[in-house]
Amino acid sequence: MLQYTTISLIPLESKHILMLKNFAFDNKLWEFGLNKLSNVDELEIYISNALTNVEKKNAIVWVIQKDKEIVGTTRLANIDYNGKTAQLGWTWINPKYQGTKSNKISKYLILQYAFEKLNLNKIELKTDTLNTISNKAILSIGAKLEATLENDIKTWRGNYRDTNVYTIEKNDWQNIKLQLLNKIER
């Protein structure tokens, strides 16, 4: 478990489906997503796939808890321990908690864990070029736009999206860490 103030990141378990289903089917969550969850069966498959990646040791998946309420889920995936890289993402947060510090604190905790515990050198974050809220949020945590991949990946709607690829490198972590803490503690 990772924790900062009222936010905890707890390793995902099948039992969390009950709490996630309270908001997982909100269309706002999937507007720019690669997947769309619209029923419990899809949620169960999503969770099962995430847990399979955890078992393979190429992902760490958490639920985001604020006080005692589960408000979302996020992960560090595509972990390459030899190359010392990973991708941070697959984050979806209950719409009533979007715009709060829940996401920023979650990202802080994961980046701290990735750089200081796993000793990774580079973290990627990816999002649809059209998702202005996610693009702004990623920039606000100190990531740098590294590339834009055109017609990169198929979405649940069947179209191919352009993807912005952002990175945070270990060399920049101490400065980013201080900036994030300053934003979180305001």
Side-chain angles (χ1 to χ4, degrees), residues 151-163:
N151 296 311
D152 176 46
I153 194 163
K154 192 175 185 179
T155 72
W156 65 268
R157 288 186 170 101
N159 66 303
Y160 283 81
R161 78 172 195 189
D162 294 344
T163 301

Side-chain angles (χ1 to χ4, degrees), residues 95-158:
K96 79 178 189 179
Y97 288 97
Q98 291 176 5
T100 69
K101 293 182 181 180
S102 300
N103 188 38
K104 199 170 295 288
I105 292 171
S106 297
K107 297 297 188 274
Y108 166 78
L109 289 168
I110 295 169
L111 290 167
Q112 182 180 42
Y113 183 76
F115 291 124
E116 297 177 18
K117 301 291 186 220
L118 297 180
N119 198 31
L120 299 179
N121 287 329
K122 187 177 190 177
I123 303 298
E124 285 187 346
L125 300 98
K126 298 178 179 181
T127 193
D128 191 315
T129 58
L130 300 176
N131 189 342
T132 55
I133 292 172
S134 288
N135 281 284
K136 284 174 67 174
I138 292 169
L139 287 169
S140 79
I141 63 168
K144 296 176 187 168
L145 180 61
E146 190 166 298
T148 299
L149 307 175
E150 294 181 4
N151 296 311
D152 176 46
I153 194 163
K154 192 175 185 179
T155 72
W156 65 268
R157 288 186 170 101

Side-chain angles (χ1 to χ4, degrees), residues 6-23:
T6 62
I7 301 296
S8 301
L9 298 184
I10 300 166
L12 176 73
E13 296 179 43
S14 295
K15 70 179 184 182
H16 293 122
I17 290 172
L18 296 173
M19 292 155 268
L20 292 169
K21 75 175 187 173
N22 292 328
F23 58 89

